[in-house]
């Protein structure tokens, strides 16, 4: 049944946002080039925009887009090289793939095979031949489905810069002849670290947006969690994959409680824990158990998941076992040294031993150049000074943190805390 152009366009955009990564992955298996695969996926999108207003939205719109993109990929292969030679390369099962019918497509894709392709795409976009910035930009574009403008806003760079990174990344992969495959042995271990880092950064950007008017970007969290789950399902012997899944499940469980009705941030101490998602918490516990079962010693993601599990175990904020959390941060510092981890450890120590102990650790970090523009350093220091009754100093730190943050919601929160300290001083 025909639908209005507006409703068809809305359906196409929604389905493409969800399915684009799988479509690009499936097409890349045929053309062996992520740049061309993305163009063919966009061609399928255009075809849907043209056909669905007249023919109606198919019962399985994602499968329709996949079949359309694959059919165009095969046509491209046939045009570029001899029919027989390329068919032998991509498999005879693709030889007679027909264009999909607009209204009667039932779908014949093998979901497990699609997931295999998705995993190959993750490892391709996170290849060490690319810089960290290029890996993240390309992963967000192809796997997260973000536009160049959205990526630019997330990472405080210009849109042309992001577009240039993505174009160069595609060219680099093409020129290097990177295989569209999941690597094995030492190469897998080397590339897996990049894959996990990319997924982790995608989630973090959604969990606490670096810029913009929103404190959270839940769609990014959902994308990252979906990718982590796929990875765990296909690499179930890798402990840090399960550690990352556990961390993201447990962190995601708090999302509903992290903002108030008006979208303003709600700090951990003030969150309504009845709004924490118990299903995600149980999934996080289970993933952490798997990580510990298949690994010898917990890695950085499993350790962070253990910290998140401590918070989840506490029914009330006051019941949090900060001594255990501080110990876990100490282990995390040994496994993955970082000034940000040191800052988090200082917070845990302040809760376990008192604000004076935490402030000493924070003051020792003040000279670290890596934290010079990091707004959470003065924010944490302001909180510790407030707990010690040093209101004027606390207010100055909150104001400094507000100047450094690029997120409007967080800035408002920090300014409100500075104003509160002004009232306390009076």
């Amino acid at each position: 049944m025909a639908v209005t152009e507006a409703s068809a366009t809305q359906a196409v955009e929604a389905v493409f946002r969800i399915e684009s990564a799988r479509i690009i992955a499936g097409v890349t298996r045929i053309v062996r080039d992520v740049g061309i695969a993305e163009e063919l996926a966009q061609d399928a999108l255009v075809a849907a925009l043209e056909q669905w207003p007249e023919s109606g939205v198919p019962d399985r719109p994602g499968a329709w887009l996949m079949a359309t993109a694959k059919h165009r990929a095969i046509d491209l292969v046939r045009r570029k090289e001899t029919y027989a030679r390329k068919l032998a390369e991509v498999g005879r099962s693709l030889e007679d793939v027909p264009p999909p019918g607009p209204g009667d497509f039932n779908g014949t894709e093998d979901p497990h095979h699609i997931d295999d392709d998705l995993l190959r795409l993750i490892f391709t976009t996170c290849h060490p031949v690319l810089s960290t910035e290029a890996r993240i930009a390309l992963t967000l574009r192809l796997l997260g489905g973000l536009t160049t403008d959205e990526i630019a806003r997330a990472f405080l760079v210009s849109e042309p810069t992001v577009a240039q990174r993505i174009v160069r990344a595609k060219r680099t992969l093409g020129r290097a002849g990177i295989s569209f495959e999941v690597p094995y042995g030492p190469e897998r271990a080397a590339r897996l670290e990049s894959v996990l880092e990319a997924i982790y950064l995608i989630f973090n950007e959604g969990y606490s947006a670096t810029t913009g008017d929103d404190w959270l970007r839940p769609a990014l969290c959902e994308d990252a969690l979906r990718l982590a789950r796929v990875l765990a399902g296909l690499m179930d012997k890798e402990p840090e994959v399960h550690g990352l899944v556990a961390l993201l499940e447990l962190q995601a469980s708090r999302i509903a409680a992290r903002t108030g009705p008006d979208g303003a941030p709600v700090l951990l101490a003030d969150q309504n824990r009845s709004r924490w998602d118990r299903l995600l918490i149980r999934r996080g516990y289970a993933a952490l158990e798997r990580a510990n079962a298949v690994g010898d010693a917990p890695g950085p993601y499993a350790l962070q998941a253990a910290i998140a599990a401590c918070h989840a175990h506490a029914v009330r904020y006051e019941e949090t076992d900060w001594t255990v959390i501080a110990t876990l941060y100490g282990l995390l510092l040994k496994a993955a040294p970082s000034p940000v981890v040191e800052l988090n450890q200082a917070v845990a120590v302040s809760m376990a031993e008192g604000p004076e102990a935490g402030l000493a650790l924070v003051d020792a970090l003040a000279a670290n150049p890596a934290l010079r523009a990091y707004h959470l350093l003065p924010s944490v220091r302001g909180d510790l000074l407030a707990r010690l009754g040093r209101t004027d100093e606390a207010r100055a730190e909150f104001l400094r943190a507000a100047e450094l943050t690029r997120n409007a919601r967080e800035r408002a929160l920090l300014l409100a805390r500075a104003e509160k300290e002004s009232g306390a001083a009076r």
Side-chain angles (χ1 to χ4, degrees):
M1 182 177 67
V3 295
T4 65
E5 184 173 348
S7 60
T9 299
Q10 187 177 16
V12 171
E13 291 176 349
V15 173
F16 192 76
R17 178 92 176 197
I18 295 169
E19 299 290 341
S20 60
R22 292 177 180 271
I23 295 168
I24 293 169
V27 173
T28 302
R29 178 164 52 90
I30 299 172
V31 298
R32 304 286 164 171
D33 186 302
V34 294
I36 294 174
E38 185 183 17
E39 291 174 7
L40 292 170
Q42 293 288 342
D43 286 347
L45 175 66
V46 172
L49 290 171
E50 292 173 346
Q51 296 180 36
W52 290 6
E54 296 182 6
S55 63
V57 178
D59 291 337
R60 295 187 61 198
W64 190 99
L65 289 169
M66 175 72 83
T68 299
K70 282 190 171 184
H71 186 264
R72 293 182 181 228
I74 293 166
D75 282 346
L76 178 64
V77 166
R78 285 170 174 163
R79 290 197 301 270
K80 284 191 170 183
E81 301 190 21
T82 66
Y83 176 80
R85 176 184 170 190
K86 199 58 184 179
L87 283 182
E89 190 174 317
V90 301
R92 295 192 177 280
S93 63
L94 297 172
E95 184 173 357
D96 297 319
V97 175
D104 60 356
F105 182 76
N106 293 319
T108 57
E109 294 296 333
D110 179 352
H112 182 71
H113 195 69
I114 293 174
D115 283 346
D116 281 344
D117 287 340
L118 186 59
L119 186 60
R120 292 186 185 101
L121 182 60
I122 296 172
F123 274 95
T124 299
T125 59
C126 292
H127 195 283
V129 73
L130 303 176
S131 68
T132 299
E133 293 81 4
R135 292 176 209 161
I136 301 304
L138 190 58
T139 301
L140 285 169
R141 181 73 186 90
L142 299 185
L143 291 159
L146 273 68
T147 65
T148 52
D149 178 57
E150 288 173 325
I151 299 170
R153 289 202 309 269
F155 291 95
L156 306 179
V157 294
S158 69
E159 187 175 352
T161 297
V162 170
Q164 198 171 56
R165 284 177 185 172
I166 293 172
V167 169
R168 286 177 177 173
K170 293 174 186 175
R171 287 177 180 169
T172 299
L173 292 175
R175 289 171 181 167
I178 303 302
S179 298
F180 184 62
E181 63 183 8
V182 177
Y184 293 91
E187 187 181 353
R188 170 187 282 191
R191 214 183 303 183
L192 179 60
E193 183 178 349
S194 297
V195 172
L196 297 179
E197 179 187 20
I199 295 174
Y200 177 68
L201 290 174
I202 292 171
F203 183 90
N204 280 351
E205 180 58 31
Y207 194 71
S208 183
T210 55
T211 187
D213 297 327
D214 297 319
W215 171 244
L216 297 173
R217 302 183 68 186
L220 277 184
C221 294
E222 292 168 8
D223 286 339
L225 188 49
R226 175 177 57 84
L227 292 174
R229 287 170 178 167
V230 169
L231 199 60
L234 296 169
M235 302 181 69
D236 61 355
K237 301 301 182 185
E238 295 286 349
E240 273 292 79
V241 174
H242 294 300
L244 179 62
V245 172
L247 173 61
L248 302 194
E249 299 275 14
L250 290 165
Q251 295 287 76
S253 72
R254 305 181 206 161
I255 286 177
R258 277 174 57 77
T259 54
D262 60 350
V266 179
L267 299 177
L268 182 63
D270 302 320
Q271 288 174 18
N272 179 357
R273 300 195 173 204
S274 68
R275 299 189 67 199
W276 287 9
D277 191 316
R278 306 312 300 182
L279 174 60
L280 291 179
I281 290 173
R282 289 195 297 271
R283 292 178 64 110
Y285 290 161
L288 185 56
E289 287 181 7
R290 286 193 292 273
N292 293 331
V294 299
D296 296 329
Y301 294 114
L303 287 168
Q304 290 178 76
I307 291 169
C310 282
H311 289 294
H313 279 302
V315 177
R316 297 183 304 118
Y317 181 77
E318 293 76 14
E319 297 174 8
T320 306
D321 194 335
W322 290 105
T323 301
V324 171
I325 291 176
T327 300
L328 288 169
Y329 271 121
L331 295 174
L332 182 58
L333 266 176
K334 293 179 181 177
S338 160
V340 173
V341 174
E342 288 187 72
L343 183 61
N344 288 329
Q345 185 190 36
V347 173
V349 168
S350 77
M351 299 302 296
E353 302 177 15
E356 298 92 343
L359 185 60
L361 295 174
V362 171
D363 286 345
L365 288 169
N368 192 314
L371 298 178
R372 187 170 296 142
Y374 189 55
H375 69 283
L376 291 182
L377 178 64
S379 175
V380 168
R381 194 168 189 275
D383 181 68
L384 296 176
L385 289 168
R387 288 165 58 190
L388 289 169
R390 295 160 62 176
T391 54
D392 289 340
E393 294 172 85
R395 179 178 179 275
E397 291 295 323
F398 286 134
L399 290 174
R400 179 166 168 259
E403 290 177 359
L404 291 174
T405 184
R406 298 292 185 271
N407 184 279
R409 293 286 189 179
E410 193 167 25
R411 183 180 301 110
L413 172 67
L414 290 164
L415 290 174
R417 298 194 73 186
E419 181 63 24
K420 180 180 177 181
E421 293 307 314
S422 294
R426 291 195 293 268

